[in-house]
Amino acid sequence: MKRPKTVPTSERLPFVIAVTGCDGAGKSTLSEDLRSRLELEAPVEWLYLGQSSGNIARWIETLPLIGPGLERYLKSKASSAHDEKARSSGLATTLVIFILSHWRAHKFRHMLRLNRRGVVVITDRYPQAEVPGFHFDGPGLGAVNAETWLGRKLAAREQQLYQRMASHVPALVIRLNIDATTAHSRKPDHKLTILQDKVAIIPKLLFNGAEILDLDGRAPYEQTLNTALSAVNTAISQPRTDPA
C-alpha cells in the first residue's frame, strides 16, 4: 500500500471507500461484495459515482410525447461527451456534459450526507480533478475545446465543481489495475483504444493525497476481496482529523 504526498484538502471522509479502475477490472463486483460483507457489522451503502448518462436517458425516454425523440438526441450528444479526442463541442454537447457533471455532483452530495451520519459508503468510481475527461472521472469539458464564451464559462465552472468534489478525500481508494487486453476480453463492447487510455492514466491518479491500495484485477478474486476487506476495516476504524 502506498501513501502519496498529502496536499491541502478541505475534508477527509472517514467512512468513504472508493473503488476505482478500468472497465473490466472488477470494480462493480468488488464494491458490491464489500458492501454485503460490511453491512453485517455497520450501516453501509453502495453508490455509483459515474455520471449515469444511461440512467438519465432511460428516464427521459419515459416522458410523454417528447421523451423518445429527446432521448435519441441527448444520447448522440452524450456520445460526443465521452470522446476525449474531440476537437470541439457544440452548445448542445457542452450543455449535456455540464448537466452530467452536475448529476454526478448531486450524487456526491448525497454521499457526503451519508458520511456525516456515520454510514460507511462504498463507491464505484470517484471524481478527480487531475486529468480531464469523463473516461477518467474528471471534468468532461476540460477534454474538449469550448469555442464560445458560454462554453468556456461552463468549462471553468465545471472545473471548480470537480475541484470541490476532489477536495473531499476518501478514507481509502482501492484501485484495481489491469491490462487493456484483459479488460477488452472482459468488456468486448468497449473500444480498445479507450481501455488503453484508461489503463495508462488511472494508475497515475493521486486522488488528492488519498491512501491508495493498488490491487491486481487479474488475481484470484477471493484473494483480492480478502485483501480489500482487511484494508477497509483498518481504514474505517482509524480516527480521522481534517488537516489544518
Side-chain angles (χ1 to χ4, degrees):
M1 187 180 298
K2 62 183 179 182
R3 187 188 300 270
K5 182 180 179 181
T6 302
V7 296
T9 60
S10 62
E11 184 180 4
R12 290 187 177 272
L13 307 177
F15 304 114
V16 174
I17 306 298
V19 181
T20 68
C22 178
D23 302 289
K27 297 188 305 298
S28 298
T29 300
L30 181 61
S31 59
E32 290 175 356
D33 284 348
L34 287 173
R35 177 194 58 78
S36 65
R37 297 288 186 93
L38 292 170
E39 68 182 2
L40 300 175
E41 305 293 335
V44 180
E45 292 216 17
W46 176 92
L47 185 62
Y48 178 69
L49 283 184
Q51 68 277 2
S52 302
S53 55
N55 291 337
I56 295 173
R58 284 189 288 273
W59 173 77
I60 290 174
E61 192 174 18
T62 65
L63 297 177
L65 299 178
I66 65 170
L70 182 59
E71 185 271 340
R72 288 192 296 271
Y73 177 74
L74 292 180
K75 186 176 181 180
S76 68
K77 296 305 178 184
S79 297
S80 300
H82 288 275
D83 183 6
E84 269 73 25
K85 293 182 173 61
R87 293 184 178 180
S88 63
S89 63
L91 179 59
T93 301
T94 297
L95 291 174
V96 169
I97 295 173
F98 193 69
I99 290 169
L100 291 175
S101 287
H102 273 272
W103 174 244
R104 174 179 269 164
H106 169 74
K107 293 187 294 182
F108 193 88
R109 288 190 293 271
H110 175 60
M111 181 202 71
L112 293 179
R113 290 191 293 270
L114 291 172
N115 175 77
R116 288 165 188 151
R117 284 165 38 197
V119 176
V120 175
V121 184
I122 308 296
T123 76
D124 182 339
R125 305 173 66 161
Y126 200 85
Q128 53 83 22
E130 303 164 50
V131 179
F134 276 171
H135 288 320
F136 317 119
D137 294 319
L141 291 174
V144 297
N145 296 323
E147 298 180 336
T148 65
W149 173 87
L150 178 60
R152 291 190 294 271
K153 187 75 172 179
L154 293 179
R157 293 188 63 178
E158 185 200 37
Q159 178 66 30
Q160 293 173 353
L161 181 68
Y162 275 81
Q163 287 173 338
R164 287 197 298 271
M165 288 190 287
S167 72
H168 298 281
V169 180
L172 177 67
V173 173
I174 300 173
R175 181 162 51 202
L176 295 174
N177 297 306
I178 195 172
D179 62 276
T181 301
T182 303
H184 194 246
S185 70
R186 295 178 180 179
K187 298 284 186 178
D189 57 322
H190 289 49
K191 292 182 179 180
L192 178 59
T193 54
I194 293 176
L195 297 176
Q196 290 170 334
D197 287 343
K198 287 187 175 186
V199 300
I201 296 297
I202 293 175
K204 299 177 182 178
L205 298 175
L206 300 179
F207 293 99
N208 209 6
E211 183 173 325
I212 300 175
L213 173 64
D214 279 302
L215 296 175
D216 188 343
R218 301 161 299 185
Y221 181 68
E222 283 301 315
Q223 172 186 321
T224 299
L225 177 58
N226 290 334
T227 301
L229 189 60
S230 176
V232 169
N233 283 323
T234 298
I236 63 178
S237 66
Q238 294 177 355
R240 300 280 175 161
T241 57
D242 294 341

